[in-house]
Amino acid sequence: MKYLRVSDNGTYFVFMAVLYAISPLVCLIIALFHYKKTVSHFFFVAYAFFFGYQLGANLDLMMHYQNYLDIMNRSFAGMYSDLETLYLGQEPYHITFKYIMSLFKASQRVFSGFACAAYTTIFIYYLRQFRHIFIHKIDLCQVLVLLAMTVTVEFYWYFGMRFWAGCFVFMIFYCKHVVTGKNKFLFLTACCMLFHIALATLVVGAFMAHFLRNKRLMLYFIFAVSFVFRFVSFAFDRMMSQLGFVKMFYKHNYQKDFYQEAIAKVTQQKLEQGNIVYDLRIPLMLFFCFLMYYIIRTRNKLFNRQYPQMFALVLMMIAIANFGYSDYLFYERFTKFATLVAYSYLFLLLANPVNQWVFKHTSLKIVLMVIVALSIAIVLVQQRAIISDINLWLGNYFSDVPLHEIHNRGYK
């Protein structure tokens, strides 16, 4: 790609803008090769808009779009007081988003495009917390870990609109806290609750990890006990729904017996009949990450003295996920989030010159390459119905993909 190197950002932007109009996919590919340039990040977001624009609203995003149509002509206060809107979430993010879309009567394509672009903008800003590392020359192993960070959470979860966008907001402030050492950013992680109140779990986990970062025995004890609760069918979700302060934020349906029974039924079905390949994707990624931690520790006994709170958060989030194992959605989400933190921590570790002897091990690079490739391939195969239209990849704004709803056959 040497012939594509452009030193002037203005020239690069104009070239990419013209290319984007012709083929957004080719524009994305070139931007990926130049991922260190800030201009490329703009075109990542631009492609995300194109992707959402062509695909339209599906799954949870379709419910948000239908709600948006119902409240389009209301004031912001009117939107916020609508019971159907509040049923989808009382947090201000999705309501503010719908209000902004209503100002110019956005169509389904535009609504979906901006939802995907907003999600991607937050995600890109999370990755930029590591820019002080990847802006310089980095080893293939680091590139693979960086890629693993980008595919841990599947690309299509902008459909959920609130939860994973809020997770990345949490990661923006948490990574700032870890890198700078400033505690004010730890408190700012609470901003994630403006997107989804369930993310209070992350904030609690982060503060627990902060206080237990140097209390290894206590941390390991909680981690170990969580596996006991995982295998004794402890109804953590039912217990939490009965707590007074939790009831203030839970949707009313969550507190009803029929909903709790539905959660138990779906959880059992997923555990007994779920796609084992897809379900093993995150545990495989997490296992390799811990293997890398162990390998690094063989030569660097003090490896967890660097960013100890981040290592503590990985263990704490796995423990929290295990406690909520009776609710498959809860378990899957927070295990995936623990994996996201784990690879973020690994990327920081590998930036330390003390640990860069790892780069000499070709076998580790091969294994990591395989894991990243599998992580991408499994998601693509799992969601092939969403991305099967060739116009989604080879088209542009002059070749619209017919809109069709992808029915939610899983429990997400």
Side-chain angles (χ1 to χ4, degrees):
M1 303 296 290
K2 290 183 179 180
Y3 61 94
L4 289 174
R5 289 179 182 171
V6 182
S7 58
D8 181 67
N9 282 332
T11 304
Y12 178 60
F13 180 86
V14 172
F15 168 74
M16 292 291 279
V18 173
L19 186 60
Y20 178 74
I22 300 171
S23 176
L25 179 63
V26 175
C27 179
L28 172 67
I29 293 172
I30 293 176
L32 287 172
F33 276 97
H34 295 270
Y35 69 92
K36 296 180 180 181
K37 297 177 74 70
T38 300
V39 175
S40 293
H41 301 175
F42 171 83
F43 286 100
F44 292 157
V45 176
Y47 182 80
F49 178 85
F50 171 77
F51 186 86
Y53 179 90
Q54 292 288 47
L55 199 57
N58 283 285
L59 307 181
D60 288 355
L61 190 60
M62 176 59 78
M63 292 190 291
H64 284 288
Y65 175 68
Q66 293 295 343
N67 174 245
Y68 155 76
L69 292 179
D70 293 339
I71 63 176
M72 182 185 291
N73 296 317
R74 300 186 186 183
S75 65
F76 182 77
M79 290 183 176
Y80 216 109
S81 60
D82 181 72
L83 293 178
E84 291 186 6
T85 303
L86 295 177
Y87 178 79
L88 292 173
Q90 301 176 26
E91 304 82 0
Y93 169 69
H94 76 102
I95 301 172
T96 303
F97 179 85
K98 291 168 189 174
Y99 175 72
I100 294 173
M101 291 296 101
S102 71
L103 296 179
F104 52 92
K105 309 295 183 183
S107 65
Q108 182 187 157
R109 289 190 186 275
V110 174
F111 182 91
S112 304
F114 273 111
C116 189
Y119 174 89
T120 305
T121 299
I122 297 170
F123 172 72
I124 293 296
Y125 199 59
Y126 147 66
L127 288 181
R128 283 180 64 86
Q129 305 312 308
F130 305 96
R131 194 169 184 270
H132 64 285
I133 298 173
F134 67 71
I135 193 65
H136 305 292
K137 184 177 181 180
I138 57 177
D139 184 83
L140 175 61
C141 193
Q142 290 172 289
V143 173
L144 291 171
V145 172
L146 184 64
L147 183 57
M149 291 159 57
T150 67
V151 301
T152 300
V153 179
E154 299 91 330
F155 61 92
Y156 55 86
W157 275 123
Y158 75 92
F159 282 155
M161 194 170 189
R162 300 183 303 138
F163 186 85
W164 286 109
C167 281
F168 291 126
V169 168
F170 172 91
M171 287 299 290
I172 288 169
F173 290 112
Y174 190 74
C175 291
K176 281 183 178 291
H177 159 65
V178 170
V179 172
T180 66
K182 296 179 179 179
N183 288 335
K184 68 178 182 180
F185 294 117
L186 181 61
F187 287 94
L188 285 172
T189 58
C191 292
C192 67
M193 291 187 287
L194 299 175
F195 290 73
H196 201 298
I197 196 62
L199 298 179
T201 305
L202 304 185
V203 180
V204 172
F207 275 92
M208 290 181 66
H210 181 74
F211 291 117
L212 296 176
R213 65 190 185 280
N214 296 320
K215 297 179 175 61
R216 294 291 170 186
L217 289 179
M218 178 63 72
L219 190 61
Y220 293 146
F221 175 77
I222 295 173
F223 182 71
V225 169
S226 73
F227 283 92
V228 176
F229 278 86
R230 172 175 172 171
F231 293 109
V232 296
S233 301
F234 174 61
F236 180 79
D237 56 317
R238 187 180 293 272
M239 183 200 76
M240 289 297 294
S241 67
Q242 301 306 312
L243 298 178
F245 70 92
V246 174
K247 286 184 177 181
M248 292 189 298
F249 303 109
Y250 261 41
K251 293 179 183 177
H252 293 299
N253 275 353
Y254 288 3
Q255 301 170 33
K256 296 179 180 178
D257 289 339
F258 81 88
Y259 195 89
Q260 300 293 334
E261 292 170 1
I263 288 176
K265 183 178 179 180
V266 172
T267 299
Q268 184 178 1
Q269 289 176 345
K270 291 293 291 185
L271 295 176
E272 294 179 355
Q273 305 170 15
N275 185 329
I276 190 171
V277 176
Y278 178 78
D279 291 343
L280 286 177
R281 172 180 172 271
I282 290 299
L284 176 65
M285 293 183 71
L286 200 52
F287 172 79
F288 179 79
C289 216
F290 275 98
L291 177 63
M292 289 289 287
Y293 294 162
Y294 175 77
I295 291 172
I296 291 173
R297 188 170 183 172
T298 58
R299 290 196 186 181
N300 182 7
K301 301 297 183 182
L302 302 179
F303 89 101
N304 56 16
R305 293 285 182 89
Q306 187 180 24
Y307 315 119
Q309 68 273 45
M310 206 165 196
F311 178 69
L313 182 60
V314 174
L315 297 183
M316 189 59 64
M317 293 315 304
I318 294 173
I320 290 173
N322 284 338
F323 281 122
Y325 190 67
S326 57
D327 182 341
Y328 186 82
L329 175 61
F330 182 96
Y331 172 76
E332 182 188 45
R333 278 178 168 178
F334 289 106
T335 304
K336 191 175 295 181
F337 178 77
T339 307
L340 180 68
V341 180
Y343 275 89
S344 301
Y345 175 55
L346 180 60
F347 190 73
L348 288 173
L349 281 180
L350 293 178
N352 188 338
V354 176
N355 300 324
Q356 291 182 357
W357 57 269
V358 173
F359 301 159
K360 298 178 182 179
H361 290 257
T362 305
S363 58
L364 288 177
K365 295 180 183 179
I366 293 174
V367 174
L368 182 56
M369 193 178 300
V370 170
I371 287 177
V372 172
L374 283 174
S375 297
I376 297 173
I378 290 171
V379 172
L380 293 178
V381 172
Q382 178 76 2
Q383 297 302 323
R384 58 191 178 277
I386 294 179
I387 59 174
S388 58
D389 197 314
I390 196 67
N391 287 324
L392 187 63
W393 303 106
L394 301 183
N396 52 38
Y397 288 101
F398 304 102
S399 57
D400 290 341
V401 178
L403 295 175
H404 61 285
E405 185 175 356
I406 308 298
H407 296 287
N408 190 359
R409 294 182 295 272
Y411 179 64
K412 295 289 185 184

